[in-house]
């Protein structure tokens, strides 16, 4: 079931339970300029919102001694070794990498 309201910023909930039952609820539009209705294929740019949750999760991992903020990123993600600068997890959390030269 999708309920839509015209030209109102939207929200959508999609749930799938272990027993295979699905629930879908949508309301509003994904873009108030084009009036494109929100649907299960709508894309939401949540990167800025998710940064705080990612940082919090990393701090929990540090508290559990599963990693250290001073760890090099390449220790956990070997592909990051291609950068000339030694980037630490702390650099990413506090955006210190922005002042580094690559």
């Amino acid at each position: 079931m999708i309920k839509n309201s015209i030209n109102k910023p939207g929200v959508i909930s999609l749930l799938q339970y272990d027993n295979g039952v699905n629930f879908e609820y949508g309301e509003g539009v994904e873009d108030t300029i084009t009036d494109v209705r929100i649907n299960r294929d709508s894309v939401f740019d949540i990167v800025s919102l998710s940064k705080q949750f990612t940082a919090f999760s990393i701090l929990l991992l540090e508290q559990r001694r599963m990693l250290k903020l001073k760890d090099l990123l390449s220790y956990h993600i070997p592909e990051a070794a291609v950068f000339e600068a030694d980037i630490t997890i702390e650099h990413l959390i506090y955006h210190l990498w922005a002042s580094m030269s690559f």
Side-chain angles (χ1 to χ4, degrees):
M1 170 185 144
I2 297 181
K3 177 183 175 186
N4 287 301
S5 300
I6 302 301
N7 205 16
K8 175 178 155 188
V11 64
I12 191 162
S13 295
L14 302 169
L15 304 169
Q16 182 173 11
Y17 298 97
D18 290 337
N19 64 3
V21 173
N22 293 314
F23 173 77
E24 179 178 336
Y25 174 81
E27 181 177 315
V29 295
E30 65 179 57
D31 186 332
T32 56
I33 295 171
T34 62
D35 283 339
V36 173
R37 291 182 175 191
I38 204 163
N39 64 66
R40 66 174 44 219
D41 296 321
S42 296
V43 176
F44 300 95
D45 192 11
I46 62 168
V47 173
S48 293
L49 176 66
S50 63
K51 288 176 190 173
Q52 296 88 339
F53 294 101
T54 302
F56 180 74
S57 298
I58 288 171
L59 292 173
L60 286 176
L61 291 172
E62 183 185 43
Q63 186 179 40
R64 295 175 183 166
R65 303 181 196 277
M66 298 175 79
L67 58 73
K68 296 177 187 169
L69 290 181
K70 300 289 184 186
D71 285 348
L72 291 176
L73 183 61
S74 58
Y75 177 77
H76 299 281
I77 304 173
E79 295 83 0
V82 300
F83 298 111
E84 290 181 24
D86 289 333
I87 303 170
T88 65
I89 295 172
E90 184 178 39
H91 288 134
L92 297 179
I93 287 181
Y94 297 113
H95 299 273
L96 299 173
W97 58 269
S99 62
M100 301 173 73
S101 61
F102 293 100

